Amino acid sequence: MREKELRIALVCFGGVSLAVYMHGISKEILKLVRASSALHGIADRGKRAKAAFLDEADPENREYDTESVYFELLREIGRRVELRVVVDIIAGASAGGINGTMLARALSHDLPLGPLRNLWLDNADVTVLLSPEAKARAWSKWFLKPFIWGAAHGMLKIRDAEVRRNMSLFLRSRWFKPPLDGGVMARLMYDAITAMGAPKRPTASLLPSGHSLDLFVTLTDYHGYHQLVQIHDPPLIHELEHHHVLHFGYRRKANGDVESDFGLDNAPALAFAARATSSFPGAFPPARIAEIDEVAAERGDAWPRRPDFLARNFSRHQRADLNPAACSFIDGSVLNNRPFHEAITAIHGRPAYRQVDRRLVYIEPDPAPEVSPPQRRTPGFFATLRGAISDIPRAQPVTDELSRVNAFNEEVRRVRDIIDGARPQISVLVDKLITVPLEQRTPADQIRLWREQVNAHVLRDAGFAYAGYVRLKLASVRSFLAQLIVTLRGAPAQSPLARVVAEVIDVWAMRKGFDYDETGAEETTGTELAPWAKFLLAFDVGYRERRLHFLVEGQNRLYQLLDDARFEGLDPLVVDRLKREFYARLDALRRRQTASYYSAKSFGVVARLFPDMPTAADIKHVEQFAKKFVDRHQADLDSLMDALSTELALDASTRDLDDLMAKLSPATWHPDARREVLVNYLGFPFWDVLSFPVTSAREPGELNEILIDRISPQDARSLQGFDGAASLKGVGFGHFAGFLSRSYRENDYLLGRLHALDRLIDIVCDSAGIDPRHDSIDVTGLKQRAFTLILDVEAPHLPHSTDLIAALRACIGRMAGRTEAAGSGQQGRHG
């Protein structure tokens, strides 16, 4: 049975009170992942095919409802393809940052989101959030009451008495100071984090073994921090950086060990992220870490992870001699309301132990209308100011980021075409070398000899392309060494020191003769290697990384060939196991690119070589500075490179791969599949000559396209009459309306769950290749059952939504009739 992973990178936009709608969506995402985890936790596939969610779960647990429907859908899909759903990247801003933080903690440690329902419904209210000294009294700004009453009854036509009352309370609150209480918000966020509780056991998680989850939360540093920027003249200038991103991670290693930023020992950091990212300008005062320190002290809680949190997320502040605890942060959506960049960057190079379908799913609670609005009259003075300062920047379209994804997908298709087009010719070249029958084991020494012979063929046969290819690799290696030294020095990647180090490494390498001169051959035997070849053997981490990614792609290709008659009998688990071996070695290579991998001796040498930051004069004449530096420190640089080469031990990593190839047992590996693996391994130098010049500008990773899906009111089509942005109540008053009415929040929370379920089932079916019109799975029936489950479970908690729930039940009852009518029309058109 083919196995496949639906890997979701989730992006959550801002939306102020529409956070309640996004909470409903987050809850459904958690339930889908929980159902998938439960299904694939059943090792016996025969048992899995007949299982139900509550067979393994506590039927009395009130957290569970739609999990059973997702479980059934994935179980039925499993008769064709074993589809596992994993959320491994979350990026959020403002209200989306709050929900992303809570969801990431729940996914990492298999925790409930149920306790947060009352947080939103009861406390996301202006009467709770208003600062006590800001609340209007009976006679506060009494002169506004007639205007507010007239506007509410007349132009605004507000029928909800609670909305009218709270609107008056809010508008008559204090002016020229934030009316909402930052301390109250901080306590609510802290209580939300802690209310989710601790995991049932230390390793409890909804992420599969060997996977990780990354959370990115955007903030805006109000005062900013100085950053040196290099230009031509003057060579160094100071700029203020206000954009800030907090990063939290969870990693579940294959051996069972867990590294997590989402435990209760880091609850204050998570609460700060939620509080700071949603600090809407003018409504809340800026957030400070000191504020969270006070909340933790009130609760009597320690914060043992505080130093680590500050070191990893505020290193630039600390280098600028700024105390992060005293800095002021405002809403993350001010500068970055749609954090696609963080999510897309995190996607590249992530491991996938099975065939993967990568989706970028973004939640947009208030999307642009499908039809352009009519031209209105010229905006007035205040409307123009508000649009320029707040509304337009926060609502910038996602076109640029999505266009980048489309460009990436085009590059993936182009590289795949290059690889597939060259495969027949490269296979013939490699086959000429493989003289040993593949029905028997091949010694590692034989594989090593074949690999060296292929490298010699590439050097001889690639022609003019080879010179450019090698020079590009040499430049890549010099860049790697410069970045490594800057990392060991603890300096930013874009700092002036990084520029100087890069120039120094270039000069040093040229003087050592590490430039391609068309003599020697890489990894040949029996002759003395040219200096440039030795340099690549010692430091070309990128080549090894690309080779491992290529081998992983080869395993993905084998998944596609499982249905081929000539591969009959090939066990997908064998493919999985080898893929895991490749990823283990890829992980080892990546560790070689981190500072923690290297010895104190190497740190000391780097610190002695580069004790000071370069001056403006050094940068102005950086080429001359680098030459003089190498003149003075040639011996020290040689010593450092020898030490780094020894610690990298890349030659040993290559021999390890030779040994792994030699262990492919003919007893478990189909001969043709084994040949595919060996052709990929031995023939990689040919493919690298073709593809590296095309892909050198980006990080290496698997050649998977990133498909984009949206969850919004416009996209949930099953519940006609309860879709579209007009179905949400929180969109009013600039997305603040949800703070004015409990019934508004109930409406949006409930529709968030329903809309998410509708879209998530569609996404799962699309990933599995299920067509609801033709497949035997009754997708509409599953949706009806799940919608009804949600209404049944939520009704007792939504006392103000009796009429809404009744109308939704009637709409759900009409779904089957609409489906049958659509099916008849489809048959008529095709007939």
Side-chain angles (χ1 to χ4, degrees):
M1 180 65 66
R2 180 177 299 144
E3 296 189 355
K4 185 178 184 181
E5 285 181 1
L6 170 57
R7 303 286 289 274
I8 295 175
L10 186 68
V11 179
C12 310
F13 294 1
V16 198
S17 71
L18 288 171
V20 182
Y21 176 72
M22 286 185 273
H23 171 59
I25 294 173
S26 298
K27 180 176 282 190
E28 283 306 306
I29 293 172
L30 175 65
K31 290 176 177 294
L32 170 60
V33 176
R34 182 182 288 138
S36 177
S37 177
L39 179 67
H40 289 87
I42 304 172
D44 186 326
R45 293 190 177 184
K47 183 180 178 183
R48 189 188 301 173
K50 301 175 184 177
F53 178 77
L54 292 178
D55 291 345
E56 305 294 329
D58 179 6
E60 301 301 319
N61 192 324
R62 296 187 178 182
E63 173 76 7
Y64 304 145
D65 44 62
T66 52
E67 285 92 342
S68 59
V69 176
Y70 293 126
F71 188 98
E72 182 179 340
L73 173 63
L74 292 169
R75 184 194 67 205
E76 295 306 305
I77 286 173
R79 303 186 191 283
R80 175 186 301 180
V81 54
E82 294 278 7
L83 183 70
R84 177 147 197 179
V85 183
V86 178
V87 175
D88 61 348
I89 297 168
I90 301 175
S94 193
I98 296 177
N99 282 285
T101 300
M102 306 301 171
L103 178 60
R105 174 159 154 72
L107 290 167
S108 296
H109 295 292
D110 192 9
L111 298 172
L113 283 179
L116 306 190
R117 172 174 49 208
N118 290 340
L119 169 88
W120 288 118
L121 297 183
D122 295 341
N123 297 314
D125 191 278
V126 69
T127 59
V128 175
L129 295 174
L130 272 174
S131 178
E133 61 269 21
K135 287 184 179 179
R137 305 293 187 267
W139 293 100
S140 298
K141 301 184 181 69
W142 58 268
F143 54 87
L144 289 178
K145 285 187 175 182
F147 297 100
I148 296 171
W149 184 89
H153 286 79
M155 182 177 63
L156 300 179
K157 297 183 174 62
I158 298 174
R159 299 178 182 178
D160 190 312
E162 182 186 14
V163 175
R164 295 197 299 267
R165 182 173 62 251
N166 286 341
M167 185 173 70
S168 174
L169 179 70
F170 183 75
L171 292 178
R172 292 187 300 110
S173 64
R174 67 182 180 190
W175 290 352
F176 309 116
K177 285 186 178 181
L180 304 184
D181 194 313
V184 169
M185 185 64 171
R187 292 176 182 87
L188 288 175
M189 296 299 98
Y190 192 93
D191 292 344
I193 293 292
T194 55
M196 296 168 69
K200 298 170 189 156
R201 58 187 186 282
T203 58
S205 178
L206 295 179
L207 275 86
S209 176
H211 283 59
S212 61
L213 184 148
D214 287 291
L215 167 69
F216 303 93
V217 180
T218 66
L219 312 180
T220 304
D221 184 340
Y222 180 79
H223 293 289
Y225 54 87
H226 276 92
Q227 192 167 253
L228 280 175
V229 180
Q230 303 164 52
I231 62 174
H232 174 63
D233 190 25
L236 294 177
I237 61 172
H238 291 269
E239 284 293 315
L240 276 177
E241 178 63 68
H242 296 275
H243 175 244
H244 195 78
V245 178
L246 298 179
H247 176 219
F248 301 88
Y250 173 91
R251 188 181 183 197
R252 187 180 179 193
K253 297 181 181 179
N255 64 3
D257 292 343
V258 168
E259 298 173 358
S260 176
D261 293 330
F262 298 103
L264 287 174
D265 59 349
N266 207 32
L270 298 169
F272 170 74
R275 158 73 175 101
T277 191
S278 58
S279 183
F280 195 88
F284 286 104
R288 296 180 305 123
I289 295 174
E291 181 181 60
I292 293 296
D293 288 331
E294 294 171 5
V295 174
E298 288 174 7
R299 301 293 192 268
D301 294 339
W303 186 2
R305 299 286 302 279
R306 187 179 191 273
D308 177 62
F309 169 67
L310 296 181
R312 289 196 293 112
N313 286 282
F314 297 94
S315 58
R316 290 185 174 180
H317 289 77
Q318 293 173 336
R319 280 194 294 268
D321 292 326
L322 295 174
N323 178 12
C327 294
S328 298
F329 297 90
I330 60 176
D331 199 297
S333 66
V334 171
L335 294 178
N336 189 3
N337 193 36
R338 291 161 164 81
F340 279 97
H341 175 74
E342 288 73 16
I344 294 168
T345 301
I347 285 174
H348 300 309
R350 296 185 77 86
Y353 299 111
R354 299 167 181 84
Q355 181 183 357
V356 65
D357 177 8
R358 168 57 79 181
R359 301 290 177 112
L360 179 66
V361 177
Y362 68 99
I363 302 173
E364 187 165 24
D366 186 15
E370 296 178 341
V371 179
S372 298
Q375 295 295 319
R376 303 183 182 92
R377 58 188 177 85
T378 303
F381 175 75
F382 289 107
T384 302
L385 282 180
R386 175 180 167 175
I389 296 172
S390 176
D391 292 353
I392 294 176
R394 289 167 59 87
Q396 274 301 287
V398 298
T399 306
D400 289 345
E401 294 292 354
L402 300 186
S403 295
R404 290 190 185 98
V405 176
N406 290 332
F408 170 81
N409 290 341
E410 178 60 34
E411 180 184 328
V412 167
R413 289 189 290 269
R414 186 166 61 249
V415 174
R416 276 183 177 163
D417 287 343
I418 291 171
I419 291 172
D420 292 341
R423 184 174 295 278
Q425 183 180 358
I426 294 174
S427 296
V428 169
L429 292 171
V430 174
D431 281 344
K432 290 179 180 178
L433 297 174
I434 301 178
T435 56
V436 178
L438 292 180
E439 288 76 14
Q440 62 190 48
R441 285 186 181 274
T442 308
D445 288 342
Q446 179 65 67
I447 289 176
R448 190 170 298 117
L449 177 61
W450 287 338
R451 177 170 51 78
E452 292 168 352
Q453 289 173 342
V454 168
N455 281 319
H457 273 284
V458 173
L459 175 65
R460 186 179 64 246
D461 298 339
F464 291 112
Y466 193 74
Y469 164 72
V470 172
R471 290 192 173 102
L472 186 60
K473 288 217 301 177
L474 289 167
S476 173
V477 170
R478 294 196 300 271
S479 176
F480 160 72
L481 281 172
Q483 291 171 9
L484 178 59
I485 290 171
V486 170
T487 299
L488 294 176
R489 183 61 180 80
Q494 302 301 321
S495 64
L497 179 63
R499 171 73 190 284
V500 164
V501 171
E503 290 287 343
V504 166
I505 295 301
D506 282 349
V507 172
W508 171 83
M510 293 304 106
R511 290 189 181 177
K512 297 291 289 186
F514 299 150
D515 191 19
Y516 182 67
D517 59 3
E518 302 183 11
T519 62
E522 184 180 5
E523 294 186 295
T524 59
T525 58
T527 59
E528 177 65 24
L529 292 178
W532 60 265
K534 293 179 181 178
F535 185 56
L536 292 178
L537 284 172
F539 295 111
D540 198 353
V541 174
Y543 177 84
R544 274 83 172 176
E545 194 171 353
R546 293 194 302 276
R547 179 167 60 189
L548 283 166
H549 276 297
F550 185 77
L551 292 173
V552 167
E553 279 300 313
Q555 299 305 96
N556 292 340
R557 185 171 183 270
L558 280 179
Y559 290 127
Q560 305 293 335
L561 298 173
L562 287 174
D563 296 331
D564 194 318
R566 71 186 176 98
F567 287 94
E568 184 177 358
L570 175 62
D571 186 351
L573 293 178
V574 174
V575 180
D576 289 345
R577 282 195 291 269
L578 183 57
K579 193 173 180 182
R580 284 180 178 271
E581 293 283 357
F582 291 149
Y583 270 119
R585 285 153 180 79
L586 187 59
D587 191 49
L589 273 181
R590 287 175 177 159
R591 286 199 299 274
R592 287 167 162 86
Q593 302 174 54
T594 61
S596 60
Y597 179 82
Y598 294 89
S599 66
K601 179 181 178 181
S602 294
F603 274 89
V605 174
V606 169
R608 288 193 301 273
L609 268 172
F610 301 97
D612 303 313
M613 292 294 148
T615 65
D618 296 336
I619 294 294
K620 179 72 173 177
H621 306 287
V622 67
E623 294 87 357
Q624 292 88 335
F625 175 84
K627 291 175 183 177
K628 293 178 181 178
F629 186 95
V630 174
D631 290 339
R632 295 193 306 271
H633 301 287
Q634 176 83 50
D636 291 332
L637 287 168
D638 290 347
S639 177
L640 174 61
M641 296 307 164
D642 288 342
L644 293 178
S645 173
T646 300
E647 293 188 53
L648 276 168
L650 292 184
D651 190 44
S653 72
T654 299
R655 289 197 303 271
D656 176 58
L657 266 181
D658 291 338
D659 294 339
L660 179 63
M661 294 295 105
K663 291 176 183 176
L664 297 182
S665 172
T668 55
W669 273 90
H670 188 288
D672 286 339
R674 192 160 170 265
R675 179 178 292 274
E676 282 277 334
V677 175
L678 285 172
V679 165
N680 288 336
Y681 181 57
L682 298 173
F684 174 70
F686 287 107
W687 276 297
D688 201 45
V689 169
L690 295 172
S691 61
F692 181 52
V694 180
T695 61
S696 60
R698 68 171 177 86
E699 290 292 319
E702 293 190 36
L703 295 175
N704 294 310
E705 294 185 46
I706 303 172
L707 304 182
I708 304 170
D709 295 296
R710 185 178 71 172
I711 298 177
S712 82
Q714 287 181 3
D715 309 312
R717 301 296 191 185
S718 295
L719 297 173
Q720 292 185 6
F722 297 92
D723 52 359
S727 65
L728 302 186
K729 303 295 187 181
V731 298
F733 300 110
H735 296 168
F736 271 84
F739 293 146
L740 303 177
S741 169
R742 163 89 187 209
S743 65
Y744 282 12
R745 294 193 294 279
E746 289 184 6
N747 176 92
D748 291 359
Y749 163 68
L750 184 59
L751 290 183
R753 288 202 64 183
L754 297 172
H755 289 170
L757 184 137
D758 192 21
R759 291 293 293 132
L760 291 173
I761 288 181
D762 288 346
I763 291 170
V764 166
C765 289
D766 181 67
S767 180
I770 300 297
D771 187 343
R773 296 171 299 179
H774 307 299
D775 281 277
S776 58
I777 300 176
D778 182 8
V779 175
T780 300
L782 286 171
K783 285 185 178 182
Q784 285 180 295
R785 282 173 43 208
F787 288 151
T788 302
L789 262 175
I790 291 173
L791 297 183
D792 291 344
V793 168
E794 298 293 355
H797 304 280
L798 308 178
H800 298 79
S801 301
T802 305
D803 292 343
L804 171 66
I805 290 173
L808 283 165
R809 290 190 189 278
C811 178
I812 293 167
R814 294 192 294 269
M815 282 176 58
R818 289 200 304 270
T819 303
E820 291 173 5
S824 299
Q826 192 78 11
Q827 290 175 357
R829 285 193 295 274
H830 288 294

